[in-house]
Amino acid sequence: MADRFRLTLAQLNPTVGALAANAEKALAAWRAGRDAGADMVALPEMFLTGYQTQDLVLKPAFVAEAMAVAEALAAQITDGPALGIGAPYWDETGHYNAWWVMQEGRVVARVLKHDLPHEDLFDELRLFDSGKVSGPYRIGPLRIGTPICEDSWHPDVAETLAETGAEILLVPNGSPYFRGKQETRLNVTVARVVETGLPLVYLNAVGGQDDQLFDGASFVLNPHGEIAAQLPVFDEAIAHIDFERGAEGWRALPGPFTAQPDEWEQDYRAMVLGLRDYLEKSGFSKVVLGLSGGVDSALVAVIAADAFGPENVHCIMLPSRHTSQGSLDDAAELARRLGARLDTVEIEGSRAAVTEALAGVMAGTKPDVTEENIQSRLRGVMLMAISNKFGAMLLTTGNKSEMAVGYCTIYGDMSGGYNPLKDLYKTRVFETCRWRNAHHRPWMQGPEGEVIPVTIIDKPPSAELRDNQKDEDSLPPYEVLDDILERLVEGDQSVAEIVAAGHDRAVVKRVEHLLYISEWKRFQSAPGPRLTRRAFWLDRRYPMVNRWRDGSGA
């Protein structure tokens, strides 16, 4: 019928560089759309290559192969719906982030991304050229305008498409997650539908890529901003959206609607999915970690069990003479509740051997943090050996608070290939443990119930590198530290602003100093899932050598 149009949305998880596998996924989605009577099947931005490709998309051989795979895919799109898919496109005019529209065995349109993001974790100005604003293309009875991701965050592209005859806006995205991102997306896209009077389809990718998480959560808006369909968060989904033309133009009919979980569940899901995809896409299927009896390693163990199943989580307790019986008991109880393997590797003999080996060089000196760090580095050596021997990825377990102020040992407890807690402040670690104890979801492969003993959550944090050590011996209370850090890092506030908010200036200055002098450690740290807009890596790029300090608030 001329007044109906079915659009199949394929919210799927690609792998960067897996061109043939991504093309096969796209083809499977197209077949699902064909079987459902769709007029068009849509996939996200740069789906064929995976996203973000970073500088890989500057390599001519990679782009040439990606374009060849796209052309080969187009040849298979016959006797069925059209297919729209993101892929790079190079010609004599430039290098583009493009969306390829395929029908009847050929490419019938290419839309070139116009507005290239160059903030937060994006650097597309160095990867692509800005394409001219493309007009709408026709599929059956419908003229479709396609702003690609960032194009929809500015009014010019959508307005031009509406003025040149577009009847709906179909927006393919590679939009990474951060806490509260969906509200931001809705605010932006509602503005576009109000300005243009057109329905808008927001199609996002799902899955993990390095530190970035793509949360899906695709949706469809009708004019005036009413939500007609909402796809799930962090799950792959194929949904068929029907449009109908009436007296006021095209409108989306009510479609599937999945409620959005709260921020605690979304952050936890992001950590689980980030770990799973980072390992699986890198060829790993099991993990090893040091289980100290503390809250950070406990949470990482549970995240790993939820990602891969407890049978693929190998926990190692590495006690020294400073390790308390309470920590030994807590680690054992956590492993028992989780159903994960726990082995003990003593480090006292190794510590004594290193101390003896260094005795001559260090003669006449007093014990200090050096000896404490030897313990941490010995644990790193043991854990890396186990990782190498059994082919399991070593997970490091430092939270964002510790990473921010350098309360971690380079080549010691920072050893590992991935850090699930890298963007989670310590106060949120405690609350996330409580959330996981109280909630279980079908996507969690670990057991339900109180898997993290309350004694682990409630006891004062300690690195246990000397007798009776507590984190607060070296740092402000975490409630104070985290508030200062959030203001410095996420808020970019000045020292004066933070003091005006009620913090002691000397404490703020000390935290600021620790933050700046720890940049070199973070430069060498393992990647981890991005949960905020100012995660340590692409979101926040500070020099390692930096003598400036904020003198305000004196």
Side-chain angles (χ1 to χ4, degrees):
M1 295 173 60
D3 59 351
R4 297 291 292 265
F5 188 92
R6 172 163 285 189
L7 175 64
T8 295
L9 302 182
Q11 177 180 289
L12 299 178
N13 185 350
T15 299
V16 165
L19 301 174
N22 294 339
E24 186 55 42
K25 255 193 169 182
L27 191 59
W30 177 80
R31 290 176 180 136
R34 179 191 61 191
D35 294 346
D39 296 284
M40 184 176 185
V41 177
L43 289 115
E45 176 184 17
M46 292 292 282
F47 184 86
L48 192 63
T49 58
Y51 192 70
Q52 292 191 60
T53 56
Q54 312 262 9
D55 285 6
L56 183 59
V57 80
L58 297 176
K59 195 170 187 66
F62 175 71
V63 175
E65 184 176 347
M67 290 174 61
V69 171
E71 294 284 358
L73 176 62
Q76 300 179 76
I77 306 304
T78 59
D79 300 322
L83 177 71
I85 184 170
Y89 178 67
W90 286 10
D91 65 11
E92 65 278 0
T93 67
H95 300 169
Y96 302 107
N97 178 333
W99 207 60
W100 299 49
V101 182
M102 306 166 180
Q103 192 174 33
E104 297 305 328
R106 63 189 182 91
V107 178
V108 296
R110 286 190 192 89
V111 179
L112 308 180
K113 191 172 184 177
H114 176 67
D115 289 308
L116 302 176
H118 52 89
E119 58 187 12
D120 296 333
L121 45 72
F122 290 103
D123 273 323
E124 289 205 356
L125 282 175
R126 68 189 295 270
L127 303 176
F128 301 107
D129 295 308
S130 173
K132 294 181 180 179
V133 179
S134 307
Y137 49 90
R138 178 177 288 277
I139 302 295
L142 186 58
R143 293 192 302 274
I144 302 173
T146 296
I148 300 174
C149 199
E150 185 76 9
D151 290 340
S152 68
W153 289 67
H154 310 281
D156 56 334
V157 174
E159 287 178 0
T160 299
L161 287 166
E163 290 167 358
T164 53
E167 295 171 299
I168 72 166
L169 299 175
L170 170 54
V171 186
N173 293 269
S175 178
Y177 171 80
F178 60 75
R179 193 178 302 132
K181 180 70 170 286
Q182 191 72 345
E183 182 178 356
T184 303
R185 293 174 182 139
L186 284 168
N187 289 338
V188 168
T189 51
V190 166
R192 298 294 87 80
V193 301
V194 169
E195 291 159 0
T196 63
L198 301 178
L200 183 147
V201 178
Y202 186 98
L203 173 60
N204 194 22
V206 69
Q209 172 57 35
D210 296 343
D211 65 320
Q212 296 167 39
L213 281 304
F214 299 92
D215 54 324
S218 304
F219 56 88
V220 180
L221 297 176
N222 272 321
H224 310 298
E226 301 97 342
I227 298 178
Q230 172 75 69
L231 272 59
V233 175
F234 291 119
D235 281 319
E236 290 190 305
I238 292 179
H240 310 293
I241 308 299
D242 290 322
F243 290 84
E244 187 174 80
R245 180 162 50 193
E248 297 182 347
W250 289 91
R251 298 292 184 267
L253 301 180
F257 189 92
T258 304
Q260 304 290 294
D262 66 24
E263 67 175 34
W264 296 98
E265 180 169 343
Q266 290 196 44
D267 272 6
Y268 189 81
R269 184 77 186 274
M271 290 185 285
V272 171
L273 179 61
L275 173 61
R276 189 197 73 196
D277 273 11
Y278 185 77
L279 265 67
E280 286 186 349
K281 292 178 180 182
S282 301
F284 289 85
S285 59
K286 52 188 178 180
V287 302
V288 61
L289 71 147
L291 194 64
S292 68
V295 69
D296 297 318
S297 62
L299 181 56
V300 169
V302 176
I303 290 170
D306 283 337
F308 295 102
E311 68 278 7
N312 293 309
V313 179
H314 189 181
C315 301
I316 309 293
M317 185 66 178
L318 300 113
S320 74
R321 59 189 176 92
H322 304 296
T323 302
S324 68
Q325 186 61 47
S327 292
L328 294 169
D329 294 343
D330 286 340
E333 179 61 15
L334 174 80
R336 185 193 68 78
R337 294 184 184 188
L338 203 55
R341 176 181 173 183
L342 175 64
D343 287 316
T344 298
V345 177
E346 301 280 351
I347 68 164
E348 263 311 298
S350 301
R351 187 194 64 79
V354 171
T355 300
E356 182 179 354
L358 294 172
V361 177
M362 294 187 177
T365 65
K366 295 181 178 180
D368 56 18
V369 71
T370 304
E371 284 73 17
E372 295 179 17
N373 287 342
I374 286 172
Q375 298 171 62
S376 181
R377 291 186 176 118
L378 284 170
R379 291 183 171 116
V381 168
M382 305 292 189
L383 290 168
M384 280 305 308
I386 295 167
S387 172
N388 291 161
K389 181 62 69 176
F390 298 105
M393 171 77 77
L394 174 60
L395 303 182
T396 181
T397 62
N399 59 71
K400 189 172 186 177
S401 308
E402 296 169 349
M403 298 299 297
V405 297
Y407 194 65
C408 46
T409 304
I410 193 80
Y411 321 125
D413 60 340
M414 289 177 66
S415 297
Y418 194 79
N419 180 0
L421 307 185
K422 189 174 183 180
D423 201 25
L424 195 69
Y425 285 115
K426 185 78 169 191
T427 48
R428 281 190 169 264
V429 169
F430 291 121
E431 193 58 37
T432 301
C433 289
R434 296 185 183 99
W435 181 90
R436 176 57 178 84
N437 276 351
H439 299 85
H440 195 269
R441 300 289 184 261
W443 46 264
M444 298 176 180
Q445 297 187 48
E448 60 183 319
E450 190 182 272
V451 288
I452 302 174
V454 174
T455 51
I456 291 179
I457 302 171
D458 289 346
K459 67 184 176 184
S462 171
E464 293 194 327
L465 296 175
R466 62 177 183 270
D467 290 338
N468 302 313
Q469 183 182 24
K470 299 290 184 290
D471 287 5
E472 288 189 14
D473 298 341
S474 305
L475 298 172
Y478 280 112
E479 294 80 4
V480 174
L481 176 64
D482 286 357
D483 189 60
I484 294 172
L485 286 171
E486 285 197 50
R487 293 173 182 277
L488 283 171
V489 177
E490 278 81 7
D492 265 333
Q493 291 185 8
S494 67
V495 168
E497 289 174 305
I498 301 173
V499 171
H503 289 286
D504 180 80
R505 187 176 191 278
V507 175
V508 175
K509 288 296 296 179
R510 179 162 173 264
V511 172
E512 178 206 34
H513 177 67
L514 292 172
L515 177 68
Y516 285 145
I517 65 169
S518 301
E519 201 64 46
W520 68 279
K521 283 188 178 181
R522 291 190 290 273
F523 190 79
Q524 300 180 62
S525 65
R530 176 184 187 251
L531 306 177
T532 69
R533 293 195 70 162
R534 297 304 297 273
F536 292 131
W537 191 38
L538 294 177
D539 284 318
R540 184 182 180 279
R541 309 177 203 186
Y542 271 63
M544 287 180 282
V545 177
N546 169 23
R547 296 291 294 274
W548 179 82
R549 298 294 184 269
D550 184 353
S552 67

